[in-house]
Amino acid sequence: MADAFIYDAVRTPRGKGRADGSLHEITPIQLATQVLEAVRDRNELDTSAVDDVIFGCVTPVGEEGACIPRVAAINAGFAETVAGVQINRFCASGLEACNMAAGQVMAGQADLMIGGGVEHMSRVPMGSDGGAWATDPAVAIPTYFVPQGISADLIATKYGYSRDDLDAYAVESQKRAKRAWDEGRFQRSIVPVKDVIGEIVLDHDEHMRPETDMQSLGALKPSFAEIGTNFGFDSVAIQKYPEVERINHVHHAGNSSGIVDGASAVLIGNAEMGKRLGLTPRARVRAYASIGSEPTIMLTGPSFAAEKALRRAGMAVGDIDLWELNEAFAAVVLRFMDVLGVDHAKINVNGGAIAMGHPLGATGAMILGTVLDELERTGQGTALVSLCIGAGMGTATIIERV
């Protein structure tokens, strides 16, 4: 098979995903358009060489519907021969889009691809697309459906993570994100978002709260206790996991990922096309994998996906220099570190979604670019990126710096 190289990776800043967020007035198509324009302009790219644009989008309805990557490519002035397709693997959609792009290149069915994602959560709210798993009793009851927040609290309860454990992790995420911004670690990849007259409306991650400490987090109420008790979801989880006597509700807004708006794009191609276009490869995609996991606890899939990707690459945990795991909930990362024996000093070293937010369909490609920048900054060689996923799945990608 051909090697798939990453030639560039860009992302927008993450804007608060609500009506007073800085990106609320910028449409999803504009977010997607601006990251594609950045990839083109930064690389002086002949867009006719691009075979396809694959974007993750978890809520592909309304303004995010109608195959947004194809329309964004047209809107960005790409050659009309560039195809586009959107995919949905829930929170891992952006990384899955990059994996699909890399797979096309490896298989020799494409020479140059763009993977990435877009999610505008302030304009297209999470859950707007519906779905049978949560709404059809004939599906929900036999599969023990619970919302993700209940799953996160179930992980914490089952594996013994206290609220102090989770809050301490969240405080560290905020500290790391602030340090990364203060030291300019994200500058290579950030694409400031502009309005219709070309004025910059956001050039930094807006969701961050660097003043966060254990005391301020301690004042927050658990987010999922009410739906767990009043809607019966705690009982559903306990039916599936009878060894758990009761659910300890320990997650809240401060130790869970933030709702934000954003977009990302990663340029992936083979060596021949890179040479033809004068592009310098930054990393090689070594291996990737997706896996299904038990859907009630739902969020334990990343370790299984990481193990599968490591096997495919012929690597071990000790061969990975940096780890990047989406901080959907603090317990997800704590469990991942425990299962694989990953040192906290090597994972999410520049903070994560607890501090900066999680624009669902875009996050996977965002953190792929983040860890690539960090490999280059520190001179390290290998990284593994992973995300937990709704309905019980995990996706992981291993890259090797060139």
Side-chain angles (χ1 to χ4, degrees):
M1 293 194 302
D3 283 329
F5 293 102
I6 297 175
Y7 288 104
D8 201 8
V10 301
R11 72 169 177 95
T12 68
R14 300 166 173 99
K16 292 179 181 177
R18 56 191 201 216
D20 62 351
S22 294
L23 296 183
H24 179 67
E25 298 303 320
I26 309 298
T27 62
I29 191 67
Q30 284 302 323
L31 290 183
T33 296
Q34 290 187 36
V35 292
L36 291 179
E37 289 174 335
V39 168
R40 178 196 63 203
D41 296 345
R42 284 159 54 112
N43 297 283
E44 300 180 349
L45 190 64
D46 175 3
T47 59
S48 67
V50 178
D51 292 293
D52 206 352
V53 178
I54 307 176
F55 266 17
C57 185
V58 175
T59 313
V61 297
E63 291 181 310
E64 292 184 342
C67 197
I68 193 170
R70 166 60 176 168
V71 180
I74 297 170
N75 197 45
F78 275 42
E80 65 180 22
T81 54
V82 180
V85 61
Q86 64 192 27
I87 61 103
N88 180 8
R89 198 188 287 279
F90 297 132
C91 295
S93 297
L95 186 62
E96 186 63 49
C98 294
N99 290 346
M100 289 181 174
Q104 292 268 30
V105 172
M106 291 174 176
Q109 299 304 303
D111 298 313
L112 193 66
M113 303 281 287
I114 296 176
V118 61
E119 205 76 41
H120 207 308
M121 301 179 75
S122 70
R123 296 178 70 100
V124 186
M126 181 169 51
S128 298
D129 54 339
W133 192 37
T135 60
D136 184 346
V139 178
I141 292 172
T143 58
Y144 297 93
F145 166 79
V146 298
Q148 276 196 5
I150 302 297
S151 300
D153 285 341
L154 174 59
I155 291 172
T157 304
K158 180 174 172 61
Y159 296 109
Y161 304 124
S162 69
R163 174 152 172 171
D164 281 351
D165 294 333
L166 307 183
D167 286 357
Y169 180 86
V171 169
E172 182 63 18
S173 179
Q174 295 282 356
K175 288 180 179 178
R176 292 181 180 192
K178 182 180 187 304
R179 181 185 64 205
W181 269 104
D182 288 348
E183 295 180 1
R185 297 186 186 183
F186 300 133
Q187 289 308 307
R188 178 167 185 174
S189 298
I190 288 290
V191 176
V193 177
K194 299 179 180 179
D195 62 17
V196 292
I197 62 172
E199 295 291 326
I200 293 175
V201 296
L202 188 64
D203 62 1
H204 64 280
D205 289 319
E206 187 178 33
H207 183 267
M208 291 168 53
R209 296 180 178 87
E211 72 284 356
T212 297
D213 57 23
M214 293 293 287
Q215 289 70 36
S216 62
L217 293 184
L220 299 176
K221 294 181 179 180
S223 295
F224 309 107
E226 184 174 351
I227 63 170
T229 302
N230 296 347
F231 291 85
F233 288 118
D234 282 2
S235 296
V236 175
I238 292 169
Q239 280 185 323
K240 183 67 177 178
Y241 289 88
E243 69 272 23
V244 175
E245 183 177 348
R246 67 178 180 84
I247 305 297
N248 187 19
H249 291 288
V250 287
H251 285 92
H252 51 75
N255 59 29
S256 307
S257 56
I259 293 173
V260 293
D261 307 325
S264 54
V266 180
L267 182 64
I268 300 171
N270 60 30
E272 291 74 20
M273 182 57 74
K275 290 177 182 177
R276 180 185 135 192
L277 297 176
L279 303 172
T280 301
R282 298 175 59 190
R284 178 170 69 97
V285 177
R286 183 81 178 261
Y288 58 84
S290 289
I291 198 165
S293 59
E294 199 285 302
T296 301
I297 206 165
M298 197 182 309
L299 308 173
T300 57
S303 64
F304 306 130
E307 289 169 339
K308 187 175 181 180
L310 287 167
R311 288 194 300 271
R312 285 185 171 170
M315 301 173 74
V317 169
D319 296 322
I320 301 298
D321 296 320
L322 291 174
W323 302 77
E324 197 75 24
L325 174 62
N326 185 40
E327 296 174 349
F329 301 92
V332 172
V333 188
L334 296 183
R335 180 59 184 162
F336 182 88
M337 288 192 292
D338 282 349
V339 171
L340 295 181
V342 174
D343 189 332
H344 192 184
K346 293 185 175 183
I347 189 168
N348 299 348
V349 297
N350 291 321
I354 289 173
M356 293 176 284
H358 174 26
L360 305 178
T363 303
M366 283 186 170
I367 63 177
L368 182 63
T370 294
V371 82
L372 174 54
D373 286 345
E374 186 64 13
L375 285 177
E376 292 174 334
R377 188 187 74 84
T378 59
Q380 297 181 88
T382 58
L384 188 147
V385 179
S386 188
L387 300 94
C388 62
I389 308 175
M393 293 183 282
T395 293
T397 305
I398 299 170
I399 62 171
E400 182 177 57
R401 187 170 65 91
V402 176

